[in-house]
Amino acid sequence: EAQVTQNPRYLITVTGKKLTVTCSQNMNHEYMSWYRQDPGLGLRQIYYSMNVEVTDKGDVPEGYKVSRKEKRNFPLILESPSPNQTSLYFCASSLVSNQPQHFGDGTRLSIL
Amino acid sequence: AQKVTQAQTEISVVEKEDVTLDCVYETRDTTYYLFWYKQPPSGELVFLIRRNSFDEQNEISGRYSWNFQKSTSSFNFTITASQVVDSAVYFCALSDAFSGGYNKLIFGAGTRLAVHP
């Protein structure tokens, strides 16, 4: 089954404790992206990747890092999480950037 | 600059009513793509439609239809004879060449549709 898998689905943690949200897709897609969803703001793009080793900032990249060492994986790293990063996060992938994106089920992060 | 405006924050209708969700976009590009996604209460995001700027034909898919008007920079979504299962948050989104070569996707704030029996 074609899918984008995110882990964990839920996480409560404390300020400053490094965390990684994993994202994996099994569709051999070149393009992957991370979004955060906040009430009243819709989805905002954090980082995207056009292919292996090619990443770039979206609209809200501060406080986040990403890497794309393999085509299928695109982890989101919060080196020193802060409460303003409490949000619902989605990973997505598509064949290329202007194609419809397949979204993961989301990761709800709470930073205390 | 890119921008997507969904002015309707929440809409409430009774089953079988028709409902239109508005989407107004801003872009400096002549080539761009517009999308609609649905987010049901379960939380996942479901792709509904993609339209490129050169295709102004309206689209119909069952009870769903989309009206793309470049003259007013709008890409509105109509549900005919709404059903309770249509209850969801609907997002309109835009990507263009000017901002990141189609790599950036800008979402509107979303419209929450509640369909009551």
Side-chain angles (χ1 to χ4, degrees):
Chain A
E1 180 190 350
Q3 58 186 1
V4 177
T5 304
Q6 296 178 228
N7 280 298
R9 292 291 314 281
Y10 305 91
L11 179 63
I12 301 174
T13 188
V14 295
T15 298
K17 186 176 180 182
K18 181 179 178 180
L19 68 91
T20 299
V21 184
T22 63
C23 175
S24 181
Q25 50 93 4
N26 63 359
M27 295 167 279
N28 202 34
H29 285 168
E30 291 189 352
Y31 180 87
M32 297 185 75
S33 186
W34 275 103
Y35 301 87
R36 60 178 288 173
Q37 182 178 4
D38 301 291
L41 297 177
L43 282 84
R44 293 179 293 167
Q45 197 167 29
I46 304 171
Y47 269 95
Y48 60 87
S49 170
M50 294 82 81
N51 214 325
V52 175
E53 302 291 4
V54 183
T55 64
D56 206 349
K57 297 176 181 178
D59 288 323
V60 289
E62 294 77 20
Y64 304 94
K65 285 176 59 177
V66 293
S67 67
R68 188 95 181 270
K69 295 176 183 174
E70 305 164 282
K71 199 170 189 178
R72 64 182 292 126
N73 295 324
F74 190 44
L76 179 70
I77 303 158
L78 285 72
E79 293 270 4
S80 183
S82 62
N84 65 11
Q85 292 177 298
T86 292
S87 188
L88 177 59
Y89 291 85
F90 287 97
C91 180
S93 74
S94 59
L95 198 57
V96 292
S97 60
N98 62 8
Q99 294 294 315
Q101 295 183 27
H102 297 251
F103 283 82
D105 288 336
T107 295
R108 190 167 290 281
L109 286 183
S110 293
I111 316 293
L112 305 178
Chain B
Q2 287 177 315
K3 189 177 180 182
V4 176
T5 302
Q6 295 180 256
Q8 304 149 308
T9 306
E10 294 189 29
I11 300 175
S12 181
V13 300
V14 176
E15 220 172 8
K16 297 184 184 176
E17 280 187 41
D18 298 346
V19 57
T20 295
L21 283 62
D22 297 332
C23 173
V24 175
Y25 61 92
E26 293 178 30
T27 176
R28 285 187 257 178
D29 265 319
T30 56
T31 304
Y32 51 89
Y33 294 86
L34 296 163
F35 302 80
W36 276 94
Y37 286 88
K38 173 182 180 180
Q39 187 177 42
S42 50
E44 74 272 22
L45 283 151
V46 179
F47 164 75
L48 294 178
I49 190 170
R50 181 188 82 147
R51 179 50 50 94
N52 75 55
S53 53
F54 296 109
D55 183 1
E56 290 193 70
Q57 279 193 326
N58 290 330
E59 177 103 4
I60 298 174
S61 177
R63 296 183 297 107
Y64 294 174
S65 62
W66 290 269
N67 183 0
F68 177 32
Q69 292 199 332
K70 288 176 75 170
S71 60
T72 56
S73 297
S74 65
F75 187 43
N76 296 338
F77 173 33
T78 297
I79 302 174
T80 303
S82 59
Q83 299 176 2
V84 172
V85 293
D86 295 326
S87 296
V89 180
Y90 291 87
F91 292 100
C92 181
L94 162 74
S95 73
D96 64 21
F98 183 79
S99 301
Y102 303 111
N103 289 307
K104 288 189 174 181
L105 189 60
I106 302 296
F107 282 82
T111 297
R112 181 177 299 276
L113 174 65
V115 182
H116 303 283

